[in-house]
Amino acid sequence: MNVGYTTIMYDSESVATTGISDFAACRYDGVEIGLEKVEALGADTLGSLLDEYDIDLFCVMAGWLNTEEDRQRAVDGAALAGDLGSTFLGILPPPRGVVDDETFAEWLEDICEAAAEAGVTPVVHHHFGAHVEQPEEIRYWLDEGPDNLELLFDTAHYYPYGESVGEGIERFADDIAYVHLKDIDPPAEFEYHIQNLTEGKKDYDSIINCVWAFTDLGRGVIDFGEAVATLDDVDYDGYLTIEIENERNHPLVHAKENMDHLRSVTDR
């Protein structure tokens, strides 16, 4: 399996000036970049950087689907992802309660059709507080969504919902096309905050508590040696991307420490 890193801790300018070179120095194979940053950098600049440092573009992650404008941006982003040679186009479902099932289904159809035309695989990112969140919802949308829609499995976002990460990997083994390795250190009253988001409550305190629970690999509750071993057991041979959100100071240090931790618990 090839290992990548996300650019969440880098703004658009620093992706170009330090980010891609940081990933190469830490011996990452690839990168995931948000669509907004891809647009800001431009295809030529980003493509040249990826070529210079021999870094693959694993995924272009479209933004949250809140509006028709967001849907259209994701549709247009599929072609940009395809032009850059990205393997995946990531789909972030709407926050819970923003749209109904019929609207979300229509948006999925449009985005997945554009992805097919662009030669990229659309992957839905299950996410707490979103329209696709719990295991039963993941199953529903994979079954009812477009035929080319596959799953981005995220270790931290699967953690709260009753099954272990390993059980989740086994449950969705035939659907997982792409993986986020992400750790979580649940705060006090974590289950209360998850329940608020799951019920669609507009509770910003719950959102903040859940977001700030994400942490570097090895500093939370997830056993990544076990997770990767389970992926091996189900014959997953795709990309693993480490996703870090809350450590914006010294991003190179975190990029290296997270790769080091993964290597320490696996044979990667």
Side-chain angles (χ1 to χ4, degrees), residues 128-149:
F128 65 69
H131 206 90
V132 183
E133 178 183 16
Q134 301 183 46
E136 293 76 13
E137 293 168 326
I138 298 170
R139 180 75 275 149
Y140 175 83
W141 286 105
L142 289 172
D143 290 344
E144 299 298 322
D147 290 343
N148 64 332
L149 181 66

Side-chain angles (χ1 to χ4, degrees), residues 50-248:
L50 296 172
D51 288 342
E52 179 182 353
Y53 290 99
D54 194 24
I55 295 287
D56 292 329
L57 181 57
F58 287 179
C59 180
V60 172
M61 180 63 67
W64 285 99
L65 293 173
N66 286 287
T67 65
E68 285 286 346
E69 289 75 16
D70 297 330
R71 176 204 61 82
Q72 186 60 52
R73 191 173 190 181
V75 167
D76 295 339
L80 182 56
D83 289 343
L84 284 164
S86 179
T87 302
F88 299 108
L89 177 71
I91 300 171
L92 280 168
R96 193 174 291 280
V98 170
V99 300
D100 57 23
D101 282 355
E102 182 179 1
T103 300
F104 180 52
E106 292 173 356
W107 289 359
L108 279 181
E109 287 286 349
D110 291 344
I111 296 167
C112 289
E113 181 179 353
E117 292 175 356
V120 298
T121 299
V123 286
V124 62
H125 184 345
H126 63 97
H127 197 290
F128 65 69
H131 206 90
V132 183
E133 178 183 16
Q134 301 183 46
E136 293 76 13
E137 293 168 326
I138 298 170
R139 180 75 275 149
Y140 175 83
W141 286 105
L142 289 172
D143 290 344
E144 299 298 322
D147 290 343
N148 64 332
L149 181 66
E150 299 197 54
L151 178 62
L152 189 172
F153 185 89
D154 187 298
T155 56
H157 283 285
Y158 201 85
Y159 168 78
Y161 300 111
E163 293 182 353
S164 71
V165 169
E167 289 172 327
I169 291 168
E170 291 171 344
R171 179 172 180 168
F172 293 103
D174 293 337
D175 305 288
I176 297 172
Y178 182 46
V179 172
H180 277 176
L181 299 180
K182 187 172 187 173
D183 212 346
I184 187 167
D185 183 17
E189 301 183 341
F190 181 70
E191 292 183 3
Y192 164 80
H193 295 302
I194 288 293
Q195 182 177 354
N196 278 352
L197 295 178
T198 299
E199 292 175 355
K201 295 179 181 178
K202 305 301 182 183
D203 187 333
Y204 291 102
D205 181 59
S206 288
I207 293 172
I208 290 169
N209 272 273
C210 289
V211 168
W212 281 106
F214 297 138
T215 188
D216 288 300
L217 303 194
R219 297 184 182 178
V221 297
I222 295 175
D223 183 337
F224 290 97
E226 179 183 356
V228 173
T230 307
L231 288 165
D232 288 340
D233 289 343
V234 300
D235 296 324
Y236 176 79
D237 62 355
Y239 299 141
L240 302 174
T241 291
I242 296 172
E243 184 180 36
I244 305 300
E245 294 194 26
N246 298 323
E247 303 290 351
R248 295 180 184 273

